[in-house]
Amino acid sequence: MDPLAGSFVDTRKNHGKQGRFRPVMMFSSIILAILTIITFTMPNFSMTGKIAYAFATYMIWGVVYSFTNIPYGSLASVMTRDIDDRAHLATTRQAGSLGAQLVTGVAFIPIVMLFSEADGTINAHGYTIAAAVMALCGVLGFLVCFLGTREHIQINRSVNAEKEGIKDYIKVVFTNKPLGAIILLTIFTISAMNTNNTMMVYFCQYNLGNIHLQPIVNGIMMGSSVVAILLIPTLVKKFGKKNTAVASFIIGVIANGMNFVLPTNTVTFIILVSIGYVALAIPNGITWAFVSDVIDYGEWHTGIRKEGITYAAFNFSRKIAQSLAAVVSAAILGLTGYVGNTAPTSETLTGIKGAMTLYPAFALAMAAIIIFFLYGLSDDKYRQIASDLSKGKWEHGELRK
């Protein structure tokens, strides 16, 4: 659905102060909130009916999610072309992302447990109520974004006036080398982050021997990351986006590697996993600024501006990474003989620890190599591209009439 959602927002015309992206984002977020509650509601069907219901509601949810996330993700590219401003935008977006992970990671299950039965059995309605609380928070967040942003960059209508076909879309995406590098980068970074988040509950329950440590570790780890990403604008201004990302990845590799080698200890684990997560959160935040830059590069390189379809290609890589994280987590648990609610073997404990530490170390090492060698869009080169675009120029001449 991402390419279809991207194509839809690309073909929209500006509607005064509302712009192209903001109205779609706001309307879709309301529908998404309703579907979130429905997804966490299970009618009293047979098992076959329950599986069909879960499949259908989640698929519909995914469709609407694309029409919410694509315009939201494309919005930053038409708000400003200033590098420092984009660094601030990337910081606030990553702060919101980590803040959401922090809230759901710490508060969702306690809300569910408020509605448990006297014998401790979880009441299914607890999930619905918890989802409703999160859905309301989501709509309010999108409302703040809708009211507090403007699409300042006016796109050359002569570019968008022509009807582009599938060849033009292929040209925009597949000739954009910096976009290709960001897609590869994201596959490794997001899979590392999701594997970390997935395995945390297993590590706390079995390796640390206390599942109640999970919200505490998440709170420290993600809370530290929220604070650390506030440094992104300063780091980018002093060292540049690319150098900051590479340095962060190297620090993450070292922290995760040490966490695997050192004997399992609650204190050292929390310290090192927090350092590793911070080292992952900072470049993940910078990635949002990279995406805005590669959208402008695509216009400069081809003469065709397609924010939605470009962001959709990037966002698809995040979904691939999420799937990869699920495969990595399940495969390691299966290969090391994990059986739920039974005493783990030493091989299982090593596998869980490896998934928590070694895979993120490997993924961040690959990300550092990709961004250093394959991403050729430096800040200085981007400034020249932004200057050309403001003058109506592109790589091979003037923008198409």
Side-chain angles (χ1 to χ4, degrees), residues 187-357:
I187 289 174
F188 285 104
T189 57
I190 298 301
S191 66
M193 177 173 285
N194 281 22
T195 301
N196 178 294
N197 293 339
T198 299
M199 299 305 298
M200 182 62 74
V201 65
Y202 297 100
F203 191 89
C204 290
Q205 181 173 0
Y206 297 109
N207 294 65
L208 298 182
N210 186 357
I211 194 173
H212 296 291
L213 286 172
Q214 187 257 353
I216 298 174
V217 177
N218 275 346
I220 296 173
M221 180 180 71
M222 296 178 184
S224 300
S225 299
V226 171
V227 174
I229 61 173
L230 298 177
L231 297 174
I232 288 179
T234 302
L235 294 172
V236 167
K237 189 171 185 178
K238 187 170 184 178
F239 302 108
K241 294 193 291 291
K242 183 174 179 178
N243 290 337
T244 301
V246 171
S248 297
F249 287 140
I250 293 173
I251 292 172
V253 171
I254 295 172
N256 283 294
M258 289 179 62
N259 225 352
F260 180 78
V261 174
L262 293 176
T264 300
N265 175 275
T266 301
V267 175
T268 57
F269 170 75
I270 292 176
I271 292 173
L272 290 173
V273 80
S274 297
I275 293 173
Y277 209 80
V278 166
L280 180 55
I282 289 176
N284 269 344
I286 295 173
T287 298
W288 302 117
F290 282 143
V291 172
S292 296
D293 291 353
V294 300
I295 288 173
D296 287 336
Y297 173 85
E299 179 186 6
W300 176 79
H301 177 63
T302 64
I304 305 171
R305 185 178 182 88
K306 292 294 179 185
E307 300 99 333
I309 200 69
T310 305
Y311 181 81
F314 160 75
N315 198 55
F316 185 63
S317 69
R318 294 176 65 87
K319 295 184 178 181
I320 293 175
Q322 290 165 3
S323 301
L324 178 60
V327 170
V328 169
S329 301
I332 291 177
L333 289 174
L335 290 173
T336 56
Y338 168 78
V339 178
N341 298 318
T342 61
T345 65
S346 59
E347 289 80 7
T348 301
L349 293 176
T350 302
I352 293 174
K353 188 175 184 180
M356 272 293 303
T357 57

